[in-house]
Amino acid sequence: MHNIFDQRHLAEARFFAIALTFCGGFTDAFTYIQFNHTLAAAQTGNIVFLSAALASHNFFGVFDRLASLIAYIVGLAIVSIFHAHIDHYWQVFCLIPILIIGMIVGGLPASFPTYISVPALSFGLAMQNAAFAKIEGFGYSNVFTSGNIKKSVVAWSEYCFHHDQSQRQAAIDYSLIVVSFTLWAIVSAQLQPLMRMRTI
């Protein structure tokens, strides 16, 4: 347990990174299921869904995905402002929006417009992702996982095939991140038939 918390900086601690990643997987699964296959964090997926909606002349679908993308960009920009103007604990301030937004969205009816609720979550997750971008000094993402899968496989390959001992911990950390994201996305999907909007 000591190794989980004993890091150079709490914001880079393995335990904290895993907790944030579980939030990312949980929330994206929630928005995908509850809000017409729109993702709050995985903007690559939203761009693909946006292009498919455009091709099928589904302009509401285009608007939903575009609103989410713009909100995500704004959230990233706000983090830069926080970092520049708040000396201490600026990262903690970056977590406040997603906590408040999650509570509000959980109390909304399922009929509430997607183009408001998903962009709000996108904004909060963007702030979380930008403020907490390292695990034990290595870059990672806590709201989507394709890059983490790549880094995990590369690190394990370096460790197993080239006997690079320095890659072992990175391989373990990235694997834990991927497993956390996956498990909590599954948990989110399983809870939603029972709890609906309150899942968030």
Side-chain angles (χ1 to χ4, degrees):
M1 196 66 153
H2 181 262
N3 287 339
I4 292 177
F5 291 101
D6 184 22
Q7 306 299 333
R8 291 164 301 195
H9 194 280
L10 182 60
E12 295 183 21
R14 184 182 305 123
F15 177 82
F16 201 57
I18 290 169
L20 290 173
T21 304
F22 115 69
C23 293
F26 195 94
T27 305
D28 247 3
F30 171 78
T31 58
Y32 183 82
I33 294 169
Q34 295 296 319
F35 298 114
N36 303 320
H37 302 160
T38 302
L39 299 165
Q43 297 307 321
T44 303
N46 274 340
I47 291 169
V48 172
F49 295 146
L50 185 151
S51 61
L54 193 59
S56 63
H57 307 290
N58 174 7
F59 295 109
F60 288 111
V62 171
F63 185 74
D64 284 349
R65 277 61 178 229
L66 194 57
S68 180
L69 179 60
I70 291 168
Y72 194 85
I73 291 167
V74 171
L76 295 175
I78 296 292
V79 171
S80 295
I81 295 169
F82 276 29
H83 193 191
H85 293 91
I86 301 173
D87 290 332
H88 302 291
Y89 306 111
W90 66 273
Q91 289 165 302
V92 174
F93 286 97
C94 294
L95 286 178
I96 293 170
I98 191 61
L99 295 172
I100 293 170
I101 293 163
M103 287 188 284
I104 292 170
V105 169
L108 296 173
S111 59
F112 194 80
T114 301
Y115 59 83
I116 297 173
S117 49
V118 177
L121 289 165
S122 294
F123 173 82
L125 286 176
M127 292 188 70
Q128 172 186 309
N129 191 41
F132 299 90
K134 289 188 177 181
I135 175 172
E136 298 185 343
F138 296 104
Y140 85 110
S141 173
N142 55 52
V143 297
F144 39 83
T145 205
S146 297
N148 297 327
I149 292 170
K150 175 190 154 190
K151 290 175 181 178
S152 173
V153 171
V154 168
W156 279 119
S157 297
E158 290 297 316
Y159 173 70
C160 294
F161 303 133
H162 302 292
H163 310 292
D164 184 349
Q165 295 296 319
S166 68
Q167 293 297 308
R168 182 177 177 276
Q169 192 57 58
I172 291 169
D173 287 344
Y174 286 126
S175 297
L176 287 171
I177 292 295
V178 171
V179 169
S180 175
F181 186 95
T182 305
L183 285 178
W184 286 100
I186 292 168
V187 169
S188 177
Q190 296 302 312
L191 288 176
Q192 288 181 62
L194 302 171
M195 300 178 68
R196 305 288 179 192
M197 293 292 285
R198 288 177 297 147
T199 304
I200 197 65

